[in-house]
Amino acid sequence: MEGLQRCFVLHYRHYSETSLILDVFSEDHGRLTLLAKGARRKRSNLKGTLQPFTPLFIKWSGKGSMPVLTHAEPISIGLPLRSYILYSAMYVNEVLARVLEKHTPYPVLFLDYLNVLRELAQADNPEPALRRFELALLHHLGYGIDFLHCAGSGLAVDDRMTYNYREQHGFIASIKITQLTFRGDELKAIAARCFETPEQLRAAKRFTRMALKPYLGSKPLKSRELFLPRTRSIRK
């Protein structure tokens, strides 16, 4: 490739005695896997640089399944992600690594990713930022759905009505209450990505988990397991 590329490391793992295999998300090339030769050597100028959540300029060579990293430099210091907020950011990275096809450009999603990291760095409650990012991700994956109209009648959704979600169709007015049921005000909040009540936020989480499941597959997300000890401590 020519020129430097903005990117973030999503994940890395050790390779041989001195190298790393990087899963990165780049602005113009999407997700790709790079080999960072010698990055673990004591005198390597890459040591400590290739960390998640640190914005980087990178360059690589080769066109095979694993091009070789030739240059990396931090654009700025890593974003300050503390305790459980860090778990949320790790969740975002894991979702991207699972759902994005390699070598497919997502330049707007890259900006959405940068924005969610900034929001998380400033947040006390990570949930609104996570829901907005998940909805943005679904949009970029081509998941199109109308939250503002009944798929049966075409009428605008009513705040007081309930609607059942039907995959590949949308939301249809119904008085039957199931896990697929959403109130009209909840659908409007999801469409606007603005959550004014805890109920609206919980509804958005229920929807994004349901919508992302076909992309993520049946394998559990490792990052979700990190939340379990904190959840148990809150319940005690």
Side-chain angles (χ1 to χ4, degrees), residues 29-235:
H29 295 262
R31 188 172 73 88
L32 63 156
T33 301
L34 301 176
L35 175 62
K37 291 184 177 179
R40 295 167 55 210
R41 291 195 182 106
K42 291 183 179 180
R43 296 184 180 180
S44 172
N45 58 3
L46 296 176
K47 195 171 180 67
T49 298
L50 304 173
Q51 299 295 322
F53 317 122
T54 297
L56 301 170
F57 279 132
I58 67 169
K59 192 173 183 179
W60 64 87
S61 64
K63 296 182 179 180
S65 59
M66 194 184 303
V68 176
L69 182 74
T70 58
H71 177 83
E73 62 181 84
I75 300 173
S76 65
I77 62 173
L79 293 165
L81 301 166
R82 63 193 183 281
S83 60
Y84 65 92
I85 299 294
L86 177 60
Y87 301 159
S88 296
M90 292 170 66
Y91 162 77
V92 170
N93 277 12
E94 187 174 8
V95 169
L96 287 178
R98 289 271 288 269
V99 306
L100 296 185
E101 293 184 3
K102 290 184 178 180
H103 308 291
T104 300
Y106 291 98
V108 179
L109 179 60
F110 184 87
L111 297 180
D112 289 327
Y113 174 74
L114 181 57
N115 286 335
V116 74
L117 292 186
R118 287 172 175 166
E119 285 190 64
L120 289 173
Q122 300 172 4
D124 293 321
N125 178 9
E127 295 292 322
L130 292 177
R131 302 296 82 81
R132 283 190 286 270
F133 180 76
E134 289 168 337
L135 291 166
L137 175 59
L138 286 165
H139 171 75
H140 292 298
L141 292 173
Y143 190 97
I145 191 166
D146 186 350
F147 294 100
L148 299 179
H149 295 87
C150 172
S153 66
L155 296 174
V157 298
D158 186 303
D159 288 0
R160 297 164 296 178
M161 285 286 294
T162 54
Y163 299 83
N164 283 348
Y165 174 68
R166 294 187 184 177
E167 191 174 355
Q168 298 182 346
H169 288 86
F171 296 91
I172 298 178
S174 175
I175 60 173
K176 183 179 180 180
I177 306 300
T178 71
Q179 272 296 104
L180 303 180
T181 302
F182 297 81
R183 292 196 315 269
D185 71 294
E186 293 171 342
L187 295 180
K188 289 179 180 180
I190 294 171
R193 301 180 188 176
C194 181
F195 313 106
E196 297 180 350
T197 68
E199 291 77 14
Q200 291 174 352
L201 195 54
R202 286 194 292 269
K205 185 173 185 176
R206 183 157 47 92
F207 173 77
T208 55
R209 284 205 171 186
M210 179 173 58
L212 282 170
K213 188 174 181 179
Y215 297 97
L216 292 170
S218 58
K219 186 178 178 181
L221 289 169
K222 294 180 180 179
S223 53
R224 281 182 181 162
E225 298 173 1
L226 299 174
F227 288 93
L228 295 179
R230 180 172 180 267
T231 302
R232 293 192 188 106
S233 66
I234 291 173
R235 290 175 178 172

